[in-house]
Amino acid sequence: MRLIIINGPNLNLLGKREPNVYGNEGFESYLEKLRGAYPALDIACFQSNSEGAIIDKLHEVGFSVDGVILNAGAYTHTSIAIADAIAAITSPVVEVHISNVHAREPFRHHSYLSKNCKGVLVGFGLDGYRLAIESFVHA
Ligand code: DQA
């Protein structure tokens, strides 16, 4: 099974960025553990701070991988273009947010992406990425 994790803006700073909200672990070390826990899976990873690069990656992989795990960061709350890209591709997308966006500022409560996603995982910390993998493995 081929999966890809796509992380959006500022998620390259995990471990350093607002640790009270996003925790102390960097994504690289978390990803290493995740790959170790699922040796049979091919788990690619892509991060970009740019909306267009995220859309380009969705176009590139979204007709071939078995699942996309997408944390679009703040673009979640602003990007009709990423929502359209999710609708355009055939691979199922699971939306993940590390923090519980519904317990935060009102502008984080709305996602343009959720309606085009298979499901949404919110507020489970980095474990949300593992739970998204589980959702594909047990689909
Ligand atoms: C986030 C939540 C977003 O509101 C925020 O802009 C992020 C991270 C999360 O994983 O909790 O960058 O997607």
Side-chain angles (χ1 to χ4, degrees), residues 16-65:
K16 294 182 193 146
R17 170 195 187 195
E18 298 180 87
N20 54 316
V21 178
Y22 299 110
N24 293 300
E25 184 162 15
F27 200 74
E28 281 307 315
S29 69
Y30 175 72
L31 183 60
E32 214 169 289
K33 285 189 226 161
L34 209 49
R35 285 179 172 143
Y38 295 94
L41 301 184
D42 176 358
I43 308 171
C45 186
F46 175 79
Q47 189 278 328
S48 177
N49 294 319
S50 140
E51 185 176 19
I54 293 167
I55 293 166
D56 287 343
K57 182 53 77 174
L58 287 167
H59 293 178
E60 179 193 322
V61 303
F63 295 89
S64 55
V65 296

Side-chain angles (χ1 to χ4, degrees), residues 7-11 14 17-18 21-22 71-77 96-101 104-105 107-109 121-123 125 129:
N7 276 334
N10 301 305
L11 293 165
L14 284 175
R17 170 195 187 195
E18 298 180 87
V21 178
Y22 299 110
N71 184 347
Y75 288 138
T76 304
H77 317 300
V96 168
H97 299 287
I98 297 163
S99 65
N100 180 356
V101 285
R104 300 181 65 193
E105 302 95 321
F107 65 83
R108 295 186 203 275
H109 297 181
L121 286 153
V122 163
Y129 292 92

Side-chain angles (χ1 to χ4, degrees), residues 3 42 56 66 69 71 94 110-111:
L3 302 176
D42 176 358
D56 287 343
D66 299 298
I69 296 159
N71 184 347
V94 169
H110 178 257
S111 166

